[in-house]
Amino acid sequence: MYLNSLKPAEGAVKTRKRIGRGTGSGRGGTSTRGHKGAKSRSGYSQKSGFEGGQMPLQRRVPKFGFKNINRVEYKAINLDVLQSLAESGNETVFNFDFFKAHGLIQKNDKVKILGRGELNKAVEVHAHAFSGTATSSIEKAGGKTVAL
């Protein structure tokens, strides 16, 4: 086998459609563009969402509400998760690196501790935010909350 004897597989290569090469080719005249209209002209490009003058879907649908540009997204971690981690790993300090190492968050996430479940162990928790019930539960168990 030599490089000069290599050929593509049967049916793998198609000949391209040559348009505008005379009427005898079957694709002359209007060159597959049809008669008149914007689509037949050179330089035509359709605007996204344009529906031929009909009111576009984006404008027909009613709008409501608003997006708060200052919204802060938190990853929620509940007390029952902290309790299970404290029991399994005998941990007393929960910080950002600990949560990241255990796959609970990613590096750009902000952490909020929420109050679902119970905590019966004195632990120190470092997070960006705490709910009221979470703070009271942690401190009732003898722990400490540290806001980042």
Side-chain angles (χ1 to χ4, degrees), residues 18-31:
R18 294 184 74 225
I19 58 172
R21 291 293 179 269
T23 51
S25 70
R27 296 199 183 91
T30 58
S31 303

Side-chain angles (χ1 to χ4, degrees), residues 107-147:
K107 66 178 182 179
N108 295 326
D109 289 339
K110 290 191 183 313
V111 181
K112 184 168 184 174
I113 307 298
L114 302 178
R116 187 187 70 204
E118 290 182 16
L119 192 65
N120 345 334
K121 193 173 179 189
V123 291
E124 185 178 325
V125 186
H126 299 255
H128 295 97
F130 297 88
S131 71
T133 53
T135 305
S136 63
S137 297
I138 292 168
E139 288 169 356
K140 193 192 295 179
K144 192 169 109 176
T145 59
V146 180

Side-chain angles (χ1 to χ4, degrees), residues 95-113:
N95 55 19
F96 190 83
D97 297 324
F98 179 87
F99 294 134
K100 194 169 142 203
H102 283 73
L104 295 170
I105 57 168
Q106 291 171 340
K107 66 178 182 179
N108 295 326
D109 289 339
K110 290 191 183 313
V111 181
K112 184 168 184 174
I113 307 298

Side-chain angles (χ1 to χ4, degrees), residues 58-133:
Q58 177 63 21
R59 291 184 59 195
R60 286 199 303 264
V61 175
K63 315 295 187 294
F64 60 92
F66 78 107
K67 290 268 189 209
N68 185 356
I69 59 167
N70 300 317
R71 178 177 165 78
V72 179
E73 275 289 337
Y74 289 104
K75 271 283 186 189
I77 298 176
N78 279 289
L79 291 179
D80 53 3
V81 177
L82 294 183
Q83 179 64 32
S84 63
L85 288 169
E87 288 170 356
S88 63
N90 225 9
E91 294 290 331
T92 55
V93 177
F94 296 104
N95 55 19
F96 190 83
D97 297 324
F98 179 87
F99 294 134
K100 194 169 142 203
H102 283 73
L104 295 170
I105 57 168
Q106 291 171 340
K107 66 178 182 179
N108 295 326
D109 289 339
K110 290 191 183 313
V111 181
K112 184 168 184 174
I113 307 298
L114 302 178
R116 187 187 70 204
E118 290 182 16
L119 192 65
N120 345 334
K121 193 173 179 189
V123 291
E124 185 178 325
V125 186
H126 299 255
H128 295 97
F130 297 88
S131 71
T133 53

